[in-house]
Amino acid sequence: MAKRITSQEDSGPARAVTKEDVARVAGVSHITVSRVINSPDKVAPATREKVLAEIARMGYIPNLLAGGLASRRTRIVAAVVPTIGHSIFAETVRGMSEYLMAHGYQLLLGQSDYSEDIETRLVEAFIGRRVDGLVLTGVQHTPATRQRLRTAGIPVVETWDLTPEPIDMLAGFSNYDAGAAMGDYLVEQGYRRIAFVGGDDPRGVARLAGLSAALKRHRLRAPVRITASPGSFLQGGREAMVTLLEQHRDIDAAFFSNDVIAAGAVLECDRRKVRIPQDIAIAGFANLDIASEINPPLTTVHVSSHRIGETAARMLLARLGGKDAEADTVSDLGFSIVRRGSA
Amino acid sequence: MAKRITSQEDSGPARAVTKEDVARVAGVSHITVSRVINSPDKVAPATREKVLAEIARMGYIPNLLAGGLASRRTRIVAAVVPTIGHSIFAETVRGMSEYLMAHGYQLLLGQSDYSEDIETRLVEAFIGRRVDGLVLTGVQHTPATRQRLRTAGIPVVETWDLTPEPIDMLAGFSNYDAGAAMGDYLVEQGYRRIAFVGGDDPRGVARLAGLSAALKRHRLRAPVRITASPGSFLQGGREAMVTLLEQHRDIDAAFFSNDVIAAGAVLECDRRKVRIPQDIAIAGFANLDIASEINPPLTTVHVSSHRIGETAARMLLARLGGKDAEADTVSDLGFSIVRRGSA
DNA sequence: CTGTTAGCGCGTTCAC
DNA sequence: GTGAACGCGCTAACAG
């Protein structure tokens, strides 16, 4: 339908249409085409229409690589999450992605699999791509990561925790306080011998530390710590509950590192006719859908996974927009204990 | 510690270290530095060591933007998924991301929210970034998307379904056949009045079509179609089950569009003391963790979410590696009915 | 409102 | 084994 512009042979991967091509056909210079795209107001309506028409007709797509190289702005934000397989991080990524997309930015995603070294490699690669900003999960990073980030001088938001010494910006909540709050709550409810079920990621460790501190404050024994096996959360929760039931009969409440693991434990109790919370109380973390739907519904810690991502993106773009003065650099999104039937 | 290379003032965002800088300090030309990075074998060991040492010391990170511009290869692959909030797509993204990362590629991620128009915009942006390859979800795309992709001439893998006319490559399974297979299975089990619970995404529609065809073949009535409300899957499943139980008392089996919705239905039955499968049989889709853990465990359709992503990435990199001859262009990953207690 | 001149940092091609 | 020249496609600064 559209007649071919050049008469060149169809051999080879037909060089992409360039600004020059559009400019030539539209009878203007390439910089005018550039303006039509980047600041349409600065171009006379007539010229603009003509150029726009030509762009559409030729299917011209600006080369953002070249643009980024010249302008030193890529409109790409990179994020490192431990894994996108956990819905809490998936939610965070979703929040970020939505905000970024709505503002003309794109998301480059990396998974660290909870390894700080992989994170370092990812950060290096992202810096190489000259991303405009970077979002990290957690506040614990290798010296190499910090070093790279410092010299690169790009805005960074650390998420999912707080620290007195952030690399740059911060969007999260205190995992330590969350653990302590759940400890206080469980003690208030009358539970005295408490277990913590979770892995050894830094944020889980922080919550355990908070829990321990709370118990200590109440002059109770330190929590029993159970490590859930990796792999399926539901199954890990089941297994942890078996361990609890068979090897720690004195435990009267267990705080799980996330709602899915807790749900697995609930399912195991259901199977064994163990009553919740009479025989053992169960508390989860994150306030996922499953927490309110399972029977009994889970007492848990609500955290704003989606908002963390959205906030991180917003802080980044605010900084990039140059509003350093206004933009806050730390955003404590908080948490809250959600009381339901399980504890 | 490391003495400063240049004596320039510390004002401004200290221009990033460049290949030239490294070359100067190492006493070679920038092309040698380039070789040390891209093809170390072509450089004398002594020079190589010296350059590598200098790279490490100066914290030099190659500008991949410039490299991509010059070489026309970015080592970035982009993917469009409906949403990363559904674990099936999160798994696919995880599989892709892992494979890509292991091979030195990076993943640019976009969410279409099931909108073909958003997909088109994303594809355009990705092409502008000159990604080396593109992974799409599904086989249904706007003419604009197809057009852009054709003229850009970059490798594309469509996933999560099959079609006789792919844009380029294909990694998925037949949703139609999967629906039909589940239909056959349910009929074999003696169910006669069957409902389908799901949304209206193209793949769900294909499964419904398959189911309908199967029922027709068995001379049974067309399936009752229930649309699960969006938002929480578990709750959507509960509500769908309420509808089924209260308004369609003749239904003896329901095929849900995914295991989480099906699990919600199971939870509702549990609450109402409705027996599964005696009072109503339930079948899910995807074979997620929850399918095997819930009580009763779900009969479902197993699909390889993770492998779809991995396969898509592999096909793309194979093509990029130039092995077009060998590389297969269509990968039917199949599905299988997993029989458990619920149907 | 429009055009000209210079790079952005790198890879490619060819020489040496 | 190493280097020089050139251009990738675009934006920034200034000019007109």
Side-chain angles (χ1 to χ4, degrees), chain B residues 131-330:
Chain B
V131 299
D132 289 344
L134 204 42
V135 177
L136 301 178
T137 302
V139 296
Q140 201 164 312
H141 316 282
T142 65
T145 295
R146 291 172 172 280
Q147 168 61 22
R148 294 271 186 279
L149 255 17
R150 202 187 337 275
T151 70
I154 65 177
V156 175
V157 183
E158 291 168 276
T159 60
W160 275 98
D161 209 348
L162 296 181
T163 171
E165 294 176 336
I167 297 176
D168 183 3
M169 295 179 278
L170 215 43
F173 61 92
S174 168
N175 283 276
Y176 181 94
D177 289 352
M182 182 55 87
D184 287 338
Y185 171 84
L186 292 173
V187 173
E188 263 170 38
Q189 299 303 306
Y191 303 108
R192 291 291 173 267
R193 192 70 185 102
I194 295 169
F196 178 87
V197 181
D200 55 359
D201 74 291
R203 292 163 295 289
V205 170
R207 293 196 290 271
L208 171 56
L211 173 67
S212 301
L215 297 188
K216 186 166 190 178
R217 207 174 341 100
H218 291 287
R219 305 187 184 288
L220 294 174
R221 290 167 61 192
V224 168
R225 180 176 180 181
I226 308 283
T227 302
S229 63
S232 160
F233 276 152
L234 285 171
Q235 198 183 328
R238 282 204 128 108
E239 292 170 8
M241 184 47 82
V242 170
T243 305
L244 239 29
L245 256 22
E246 297 183 347
Q247 297 173 27
H248 302 274
R249 303 281 345 196
D250 58 328
I251 293 294
D252 53 12
F255 179 23
F256 288 78
S257 66
N258 80 56
D259 289 335
V260 184
I261 300 192
V266 169
L267 290 171
E268 183 63 27
C269 288
D270 184 52
R271 177 184 284 176
R272 295 178 173 233
K273 305 296 174 206
V274 170
R275 295 166 307 161
I276 302 170
Q278 295 85 346
D279 299 332
I280 187 167
I282 289 181
F285 185 85
N287 196 21
L288 306 179
D289 285 344
I290 200 171
S292 58
E293 299 294 339
I294 205 167
N295 191 8
L298 291 177
T299 288
T300 188
V301 181
H302 173 84
V303 298
S304 320
S305 312
H306 190 274
R307 269 189 67 206
I308 288 178
E310 191 180 271
T311 303
R314 182 156 36 73
M315 291 172 94
L316 230 31
L317 298 206
R319 171 76 65 83
L320 293 174
K323 321 169 193 160
D324 344 41
E326 308 294 335
D328 45 11
T329 176
V330 172

Side-chain angles (χ1 to χ4, degrees), chain A residues 4-302:
Chain A
R4 299 192 70 80
I5 307 312
T6 65
S7 57
Q8 70 186 30
E9 308 291 327
D10 256 14
S11 61
R15 189 180 57 83
V17 179
T18 174
K19 255 187 181 52
E20 303 286 359
D21 301 333
V22 177
R24 198 176 316 122
V25 178
V28 297
S29 90
H30 72 145
I31 187 63
T32 301
V33 179
S34 191
R35 289 207 182 91
V36 168
I37 292 170
N38 298 321
S39 40
D41 321 324
K42 301 184 151 190
V43 155
T47 348
R48 193 195 316 158
E49 294 314 318
K50 185 168 173 50
V51 172
L52 280 176
E54 213 53 55
I55 286 177
R57 199 178 66 74
M58 301 176 71
Y60 167 63
I61 298 182
N63 184 332
L64 270 21
L65 236 44
L69 182 58
S71 70
R72 298 162 176 286
R73 296 182 67 249
T74 52
R75 291 193 172 272
I76 292 185
V77 165
V80 181
V81 293
T83 161
I84 209 174
H86 294 5
S87 56
I88 52 172
F89 299 127
E91 275 306 294
T92 299
V93 169
R94 207 164 60 82
M96 257 176 4
S97 167
E98 286 166 2
Y99 192 90
L100 292 175
M101 204 164 303
H103 294 262
Y105 278 72
Q106 240 119 32
L107 178 68
L108 201 55
L109 181 70
Q111 301 183 94
S112 70
D113 200 21
Y114 292 97
S115 154
E116 291 179 21
D117 289 330
I118 295 182
E119 179 182 77
T120 298
R121 294 216 297 277
L122 288 170
V123 165
E124 188 160 331
F126 291 152
I127 291 176
R129 306 252 180 234
R130 296 301 186 266
V131 298
D132 288 344
L134 205 41
V135 177
L136 301 179
T137 304
V139 296
Q140 200 165 310
H141 316 283
T142 66
T145 296
R146 290 173 173 280
Q147 167 62 24
R148 293 272 187 279
L149 254 17
R150 202 187 339 273
T151 69
I154 64 176
V156 175
V157 184
E158 290 167 276
T159 60
W160 275 98
D161 209 348
L162 297 181
T163 171
E165 296 176 335
I167 296 177
D168 183 2
M169 295 180 279
L170 215 44
F173 62 91
S174 168
N175 283 275
Y176 180 94
D177 289 353
M182 182 54 87
D184 287 338
Y185 171 83
L186 292 174
V187 173
E188 261 170 40
Q189 299 302 307
Y191 303 108
R192 291 292 173 266
R193 193 70 186 103
I194 295 169
F196 179 87
V197 181
D200 56 358
D201 74 292
R203 293 163 295 289
V205 170
R207 294 197 290 272
L208 171 56
L211 174 67
S212 302
L215 298 188
K216 186 167 189 177
R217 209 177 337 103
H218 291 288
R219 304 186 184 288
L220 293 174
R221 291 167 63 191
V224 167
R225 181 177 179 182
I226 308 282
T227 302
S229 63
S232 160
F233 276 151
L234 285 171
Q235 198 183 329
R238 283 205 127 111
E239 291 169 7
M241 183 49 80
V242 170
T243 304
L244 239 29
L245 257 21
E246 297 184 346
Q247 297 173 26
H248 301 274
R249 303 278 348 194
D250 58 328
I251 293 294
D252 54 12
F255 180 24
F256 287 78
S257 65
N258 81 55
D259 289 336
V260 184
I261 300 192
V266 169
L267 291 171
E268 183 63 27
C269 288
D270 184 53
R271 178 184 287 178
R272 294 177 174 234
K273 303 297 174 206
V274 171
R275 295 166 307 161
I276 302 170
Q278 295 87 342
D279 299 332
I280 188 166
I282 288 180
F285 185 85
N287 196 20
L288 305 180
D289 285 344
I290 200 172
S292 58
E293 299 294 339
I294 204 166
N295 190 11
L298 291 177
T299 288
T300 188
V301 181
H302 173 83

